[in-house]
Amino acid sequence: MHQFRWLHQPEKPPPLDEQQPQRPALRQDLSLFDELFPEETKKTTSVREVVKIKEHHVPRLPLLDLDEMDKRHRESKTEPNRVTRAASLDAFRQDNVTVLVLSNASKSLVESDFRYIVPQGQHIGEWRGPGDIMKVIPGRDPNTLQQLAHYFLIFPNPAYARAYQNHALTLHRMAKTHTPTSIESSLAPPKGMVIRGRDVFTLLQNYSLVPPSQNISLVVRSPPFSTSIRNLLTHGGYAPLTGAYEKTGKAILFWVDGYQPSTSMVRSAISKNERIRGMTWAMAPGEASLKKIDTPLQTMDDSEESEVTEAAEDFETKHLQRSLSKWIITFANEAEARRFTRAWHRKSFPLPGDTGAYGEPHPLVHAEFMW
């Protein structure tokens, strides 16, 4: 018989998790700071309990529906425009409104030329002080809307008008004194030159109403106003440029020198120009985009004749200008109106089916931006 010998078999090692010492379970409500610094935890326990007692539930605001938010957004965008327009007209109709009339000025002035010289605040230079302008309206012929050499500056009260008038007259005297006119003239003021607390160099750089070699005419007009000024304050400008669709700052005055085209010819010329440039002009919708001006003869007061007419123009020149057909072309925005003015002003008007009879040049287009 075979003898069996029992071999000693080694015992299996215990699992790894049994070999490692068991760690006490961590309390879930303790933070790492509480475990590392238990003595500090005891000190702050009472403070935390007091804070929890003082805490209260803050209710959440209800979220609006998307349709309701869009409706409120549209109302917030459209409503202020109507209120602002009505408020501006009411401001023009107040009894304290005062008008300054600048005569014999350049026709190339813009609104910023008048606002650059508004008196600044006494304590903070960037703030506007007494003398701020409500609106600047360039003077125009009431029949043809052609711009003339005078401007109407509207102020909310006589004090603001007087402050602006005194400041403008002071700047004009300073420009006369410090602007060199010959070799014997004194040097122009350098940068940083201060006279009576004013930076002369900056003030003279911003002044451009009237050349220093001329006399400035800045007259205050108080109620009762003349007929032309009263109409301007009633409509907030000239009647053909105001109304349901505001045209001021988005329209141009269009006419052809020495030629009388029809409205259809003007539309055809603009359409031809659009095909050439490969892009349409962004005009106002509907028939308001191109409107011919009716020029009924209007009588003016004797006091207004010096404000509306120019001394250098004789009767024949004014009669010729009024006999020319003119149109108001309205665009969607100011940028498009200025772009059209740069593209068309003093350019040849295309004649239908002809390149010029007997070698005569084409008539020239006049495009005047109306602000």
Side-chain angles (χ1 to χ4, degrees), residues 22 35 41 47 51 94 96 160 182 195 244 269 279 331 347:
Q22 297 292 333
E35 294 180 9
T41 305
V47 179
V51 172
Q94 293 180 1
N96 293 333
Y160 275 39
S182 63
I195 299 179
M279 185 183 302
F331 296 86
K347 299 298 178 60

Side-chain angles (χ1 to χ4, degrees), residues 301-315:
D301 302 336
D302 296 337
S303 59
E304 301 173 17
E305 189 68 25
S306 60
E307 301 176 3
V308 178
T309 60
E310 296 176 324
E313 294 180 346
D314 54 3
F315 175 77

Side-chain angles (χ1 to χ4, degrees), residues 120-246:
Q120 296 181 352
Q122 182 178 1
H123 303 287
I124 301 179
E126 298 298 331
W127 288 8
R128 301 298 187 186
D132 198 4
I133 308 173
M134 292 177 58
K135 190 173 183 179
V136 180
I137 303 177
R140 299 186 179 278
D141 190 300
N143 296 311
T144 63
L145 294 182
Q146 190 169 355
Q147 186 173 348
L148 303 177
H150 64 274
Y151 299 84
F152 300 97
L153 283 66
I154 303 176
F155 296 88
N157 51 60
Y160 275 39
R162 293 292 183 184
Y164 188 93
Q165 182 189 34
N166 296 333
H167 188 65
L169 295 178
T170 302
L171 290 181
H172 189 72
R173 288 194 296 266
M174 294 174 61
K176 275 192 170 183
T177 304
H178 298 283
T179 301
T181 56
S182 63
I183 300 178
E184 298 178 354
S185 300
S186 58
L187 296 177
K191 293 183 179 181
M193 181 178 179
V194 179
I195 299 179
R196 297 179 182 178
R198 299 178 179 179
D199 189 351
V200 181
F201 179 83
T202 304
L203 292 176
L204 295 182
Q205 288 291 323
N206 295 334
Y207 178 76
S208 59
L209 298 186
V210 180
S213 59
Q214 300 180 7
N215 295 326
I216 184 173
S217 175
L218 195 59
V219 184
V220 178
R221 301 293 185 185
S222 302
F225 295 113
S226 59
T227 305
S228 61
I229 297 180
R230 188 166 58 251
N231 292 336
L232 290 178
L233 298 180
T234 302
H235 299 93
Y238 289 90
L241 300 179
T242 58
Y245 189 86
E246 181 68 25

